[in-house]
Amino acid sequence: MEPRQGAQAIRRALAVLRILAAGREDGVPLAEVVRTTGLTRPTVHRIVHVLIEEGIVERHERTGRYAIGNQVPELALARPRPSRLLIAANPSLQRASAAIGDTLFLTVRTGNDTLCVDRRIGVYPIQVLSIEVGARRPLGVSSAGVAILAAMPAQEARKIVAANEKRFEAYRTDAATVLGEVTAARRLGYGMREIGLVQGTKSISTWIKTPDGQPAAAMTVSAVRTRLGPRREQEVTEILLREARIIEQAIGG
Amino acid sequence: MEPRQGAQAIRRALAVLRILAAGREDGVPLAEVVRTTGLTRPTVHRIVHVLIEEGIVERHERTGRYAIGNQVPELALARPRPSRLLIAANPSLQRASAAIGDTLFLTVRTGNDTLCVDRRIGVYPIQVLSIEVGARRPLGVSSAGVAILAAMPAQEARKIVAANEKRFEAYRTDAATVLGEVTAARRLGYGMREIGLVQGTKSISTWIKTPDGQPAAAMTVSAVRTRLGPRREQEVTEILLREARIIEQAIGG
DNA sequence: CGTTCTTGTCCATATTATGGACAGAACCAG
DNA sequence: CTGGTTCTGTCCATAATATGGACAAGAACG
């Protein structure tokens, strides 16, 4: 059922776009797109330059890097803005942020990536702000990604991790490590990373499932490690788990 | 220089996406995509279904219509949100809206379409709200489109009108009529439509050019026709023209 | 219950995208 | 300066890919 054919070029163009999206405003050099997609350079070059002509991709004058162009948000305007999930999660994020005081993230799965779609800054004076709305990472490198992988069938998780293998090295991890973390998260009931993507930070993530049991998102707290000792870890986790269940209800209704 | 080749399929897929974008949330039936793109049905069918598998397009359960999928806004998050233009135009829209009291629109050109990117509701109790942020129309069918066409070289405008010809009939107009309006707008210095897209409304649009002389956007007032008599038309136009020049300055700096 | 609209599928064909090979540009170290 | 290493860009014969004519079946309509 899955593999409808006759559009290799279109699929490839989309794979390229997703890599470019991970580069945000700064963009990505052509060579990196070649490496991570596994396509040949002439192919990537051709695709990228056609997309530039079409306004879907832009090239930075200075750096020569390629990035998502402004026609993409223009196409996005066709959809009603705040998604169902964002609306459903809003009160929970508000409450949890007030109760916890550290930075809160809402992260969704999109294909083989995690995508940060909301962020709430807490009241505590030291906040982990490195991850911004729009940040996109291979599923598995952040605690949110680990949580989302943990919430899906083991076989599917393994498939995704295998597909992302090439991209892991840029984050100094590998498939085996990620799978270990996923197993641990499954046992704990939530995702956790003692060493966050930023030095000296720690993150805790709970997953949010759709009514049909698929993980739809993760809710994450990130803080400097010293602020998340065992005692507080449990407190925070309880809040996150409670709010995650509430969001699931809100999606279901 | 323009026509880089070796990616017909990708260009076609994008043409399809732009038509779907015009359908907003409701989407567009396959047959209409076939008609307006001029592609054959098997080709459109294949493209659309591959895009569905990729999450770029969605199909409405009830109606069977095709619409932009939620991966598009996800890709769009890669870009910094409010565009340069939106920031530059904000104070002008604020001022003009307060001074005029009728609904104000900011519309950009994207390819052969106009796209409404901002809307300000005025204080007057009767407001024309039919056009929403995200609304996309063939260049030429709205007063904003006429204004933008009027602000570009005549030859380029003719080219665009010719390209959109097939889509005009859905809006009960045609190439000749549009070209006439464009010529009139060029003489007047602003775009105007006695008969707006909505019955009984009238619209006035001024263009906004980038430093290199290309029209970047249009600022439009829409109101019930009786509120825009000759006297008030002049008042409103003066405000719009003044603010358009201010926005041009803001973009240039 | 024909007529006309729609969407979906098949598959032989030739048009199209592919990628190996070549080349230039920028940068760095010795 | 030069040899090495990165990067980006281009060519074109070839094979694989996307194409669209033809067929089919389901809705909507009168």
Side-chain angles (χ1 to χ4, degrees):
Chain A
M1 168 212 172
E2 265 282 313
R4 187 177 298 254
Q5 62 167 19
Q8 188 193 61
I10 295 170
R11 285 190 206 275
R12 287 177 166 186
L14 292 172
V16 167
L17 271 185
R18 288 191 263 260
I19 297 299
L20 295 186
R24 321 265 344 253
E25 293 116 273
D26 292 341
V28 177
L30 190 69
E32 193 179 321
V33 180
V34 170
R35 253 180 272 119
T36 52
T37 57
L39 301 171
T40 62
R41 207 166 20 82
T43 299
V44 173
H45 183 267
R46 186 166 11 87
I47 289 172
V48 160
H49 281 263
V50 168
L51 292 175
I52 287 175
E53 282 178 17
E54 295 285 335
I56 301 295
V57 166
E58 282 172 10
R59 185 163 200 198
H60 293 332
E61 205 56 59
R62 298 285 308 257
T63 58
R65 285 163 161 247
Y66 299 94
I68 295 290
N70 76 36
Q71 263 196 51
V72 174
E74 287 174 355
L75 288 169
L77 280 180
R79 284 181 67 88
R81 231 63 44 66
S83 77
R84 219 172 139 54
L85 172 70
L86 238 50
I87 294 167
N90 185 47
S92 287
L93 290 171
Q94 201 102 36
R95 269 197 305 273
S97 174
I100 294 170
D102 290 292
T103 314
L104 261 186
F105 303 95
L106 186 70
T107 307
V108 300
R109 173 195 173 185
T110 174
N112 293 339
D113 292 353
T114 53
L115 176 69
C116 174
V117 294
D118 205 346
R119 181 177 79 174
R120 303 299 168 99
I121 295 167
V123 294
Y124 186 71
I126 302 175
Q127 296 279 317
V128 177
L129 297 180
S130 49
I131 293 137
E132 292 176 336
V133 171
R136 182 185 281 253
R137 305 202 151 67
L139 263 166
V141 303
S142 65
S143 80
V146 169
I148 288 171
L149 288 170
M152 56 176 67
Q155 198 193 333
E156 201 185 336
R158 268 196 301 275
K159 228 186 222 164
I160 293 173
V161 169
N164 281 342
E165 203 156 11
K166 260 185 282 193
R167 300 166 67 199
F168 283 157
E169 38 191 304
Y171 298 90
R172 285 144 200 256
T173 187
D174 56 70
T177 308
V178 170
L179 287 173
E181 290 173 338
V182 170
T183 308
R186 219 174 265 135
R187 205 169 40 232
L188 269 172
Y190 57 92
M192 205 241 292
R193 293 204 100 207
E194 285 287 349
I195 318 132
L197 290 173
V198 188
Q199 278 287 340
T201 66
K202 179 172 170 176
S203 303
I204 298 171
S205 298
T206 57
W207 51 77
I208 296 164
K209 292 185 175 189
T210 56
D212 61 353
Q214 291 284 321
M219 190 161 36
T220 305
V221 167
S222 274
V224 288
R225 191 178 319 146
T226 49
R227 233 175 99 78
L228 280 174
R231 177 76 171 268
R232 186 162 157 78
E233 176 176 333
Q234 206 192 324
E235 274 173 43
V236 164
T237 305
E238 269 167 30
I239 297 173
L240 288 184
L241 287 170
R242 185 167 62 241
E243 296 297 348
R245 295 301 87 78
I246 293 172
I247 296 172
E248 284 173 355
Q249 292 295 326
I251 302 173
Chain B
M1 170 207 173
E2 265 282 314
R4 189 176 297 253
Q5 64 168 17
Q8 188 192 61
I10 295 170
R11 286 190 205 274
R12 287 177 166 187
L14 291 172
V16 168
L17 271 184
R18 288 191 262 261
I19 298 299
L20 295 186
R24 322 263 346 251
E25 292 115 276
D26 292 341
V28 177
L30 190 69
E32 193 179 320
V33 180
V34 170
R35 252 179 274 120
T36 51
T37 58
L39 301 171
T40 62
R41 215 193 32 268
T43 298
V44 173
H45 184 266
R46 186 168 11 89
I47 288 171
V48 159
H49 281 264
V50 167
L51 292 175
I52 287 174
E53 284 178 16
E54 295 284 336
I56 300 294
V57 165
E58 281 171 13
R59 185 163 199 198
H60 292 333
E61 203 57 58
R62 299 285 308 258
T63 58
R65 286 163 162 247
Y66 300 92
I68 295 290
N70 75 37
Q71 264 197 50
V72 175
E74 288 173 355
L75 288 169
L77 280 180
R79 283 181 69 89
R81 231 65 43 67
S83 76
R84 218 172 140 57
L85 173 70
L86 237 52
I87 294 167
N90 185 49
S92 286
L93 291 171
Q94 202 101 38
R95 268 196 305 273
S97 174
I100 297 170
D102 288 293
T103 314
L104 260 186
F105 302 95
L106 186 70
T107 306
V108 298
R109 172 196 173 182
T110 175
N112 294 339
D113 292 353
T114 54
L115 176 69
C116 173
V117 295
D118 204 346
R119 180 177 79 175
R120 304 299 168 99
I121 296 168
V123 294
Y124 187 71
I126 302 174
Q127 295 280 317
V128 177
L129 297 179
S130 48
I131 293 138
E132 291 175 337
V133 172
R136 181 185 281 255
R137 306 202 150 69
L139 262 167
V141 303
S142 64
S143 79
V146 169
I148 288 172
L149 287 171
M152 56 176 68
Q155 197 193 335
E156 201 185 336
R158 269 197 300 274
K159 227 187 224 165
I160 293 173
V161 169
N164 280 342
E165 202 156 12
K166 260 186 283 190
R167 301 164 67 199
F168 284 156
E169 39 191 302
Y171 297 90
R172 287 146 197 254
T173 186
D174 56 71
T177 309
V178 170
L179 287 173
E181 289 173 339
V182 169
T183 308
R186 217 174 268 136
R187 205 170 39 234
L188 269 172
Y190 57 92
M192 207 242 291
R193 293 205 99 208
E194 285 286 349
I195 318 133
L197 291 172
V198 188
Q199 278 286 339
T201 66
K202 177 172 172 177
S203 303
I204 298 171
S205 298
T206 57
W207 50 78
I208 296 164
K209 292 186 175 188
T210 55
D212 61 352
Q214 290 286 321
M219 190 160 39
T220 305
V221 167
S222 274
V224 288
R225 190 174 323 146
T226 48
R227 233 177 99 78
L228 281 174
R231 178 75 173 269
R232 185 162 157 79
E233 175 176 330
Q234 205 193 325
E235 271 174 45
V236 163
T237 305
E238 268 166 31
I239 296 173
L240 287 184
L241 286 171
R242 186 167 62 240
E243 296 297 348
R245 296 300 86 79
I246 293 173
I247 295 172
E248 285 173 355
Q249 292 295 328
I251 300 174

